[in-house]
Amino acid sequence: MTEFNLSLQVDDVNVLSDAVRTWYRHNHATPTEQSTQLLCSAVVDLYNQGHRTREELITLLITKFDSPHSLKVNAPSSDSHH
């Protein structure tokens, strides 16, 4: 799990949350708890890598997750064999 930088300012948090909201609007997607957790974790990772501007974060988030389907996590089924 990503560690959240507690020294973030309100403006930084606004930029991060705006990037996630813009991803949803861009993809005409409805937020779910799972997808929001994944997108928030990804945008914090990008921020911690040094990407600080709204435009940078939005572009990288849209590039990394190019559709709502790219957020799907493959869960093991009961039919899988180990």
Side-chain angles (χ1 to χ4, degrees):
M1 171 102 26
T2 301
E3 259 188 61
F4 195 71
N5 182 348
L6 295 178
S7 66
L8 288 174
Q9 301 297 314
V10 172
D11 288 343
D12 296 326
V13 174
N14 288 338
V15 167
L16 297 174
S17 62
D18 187 46
V20 172
R21 284 191 307 270
T22 301
W23 184 93
Y24 279 115
R25 281 193 306 270
H26 174 81
N27 286 289
H28 308 286
T30 302
T32 65
E33 184 176 346
Q34 182 181 5
S35 62
T36 301
Q37 286 177 354
L38 182 58
L39 289 168
C40 287
S41 179
V43 81
V44 168
D45 285 344
L46 292 168
Y47 180 90
N48 287 335
Q49 292 170 17
H51 306 285
R52 299 289 196 258
T53 69
R54 176 185 180 279
E55 292 76 17
E56 243 185 331
L57 291 167
I58 290 169
T59 299
L60 291 168
L61 207 56
I62 289 171
T63 301
K64 182 172 179 134
F65 302 105
D66 60 353
S67 75
H69 298 291
S70 64
L71 297 174
K72 300 262 189 249
V73 176
N74 292 331
S77 71
S78 58
D79 296 334
S80 61
H81 300 281
H82 301 283

